[in-house]
Amino acid sequence: MSGVVLVSVEVDATTVRRGDEIMIGGQIFTVSDLTAAPRGGKRLEFASGETFLLRPHTVLWAARRISPRRPPPRAGARGPRAW
């Protein structure tokens, strides 16, 4: 992956993404799938096959790969505007 950098981000149930690398108990897990859980949580499935229930108010640190050349999407952006 050329042109991609690894950054640390704070994640919770609303901001975690596929591909995020989360350290739990000294082990690094890569998020491969997300499903909604009751009361606003997320059930994370890792590439290793293990699962983790991320509650709505739990905050973790993750490593995320981003492209520094492409600006992040704006909140609420729906695409190019037609003036």
Side-chain angles (χ1 to χ4, degrees), residues 8-74:
S8 293
V9 292
E10 194 175 79
V11 296
D12 60 20
T14 60
T15 60
V16 67
R17 298 182 188 171
R18 284 187 182 100
D20 283 351
E21 296 175 355
I22 300 172
M23 183 177 284
I24 302 170
Q27 295 284 101
I28 296 177
F29 297 94
T30 303
V31 178
S32 63
D33 197 17
L34 306 158
T35 53
R39 299 182 182 149
K42 287 274 175 76
R43 181 180 172 269
L44 310 180
E45 185 172 332
F46 300 117
S48 62
E50 296 169 290
T51 60
F52 181 78
L53 182 61
L54 185 60
R55 304 300 299 168
H57 300 290
T58 302
V59 177
L60 300 172
W61 282 94
R64 182 174 290 166
R65 290 171 178 10
I66 63 163
S67 173
R69 297 174 188 256
R70 192 172 72 188
R74 293 187 333 233

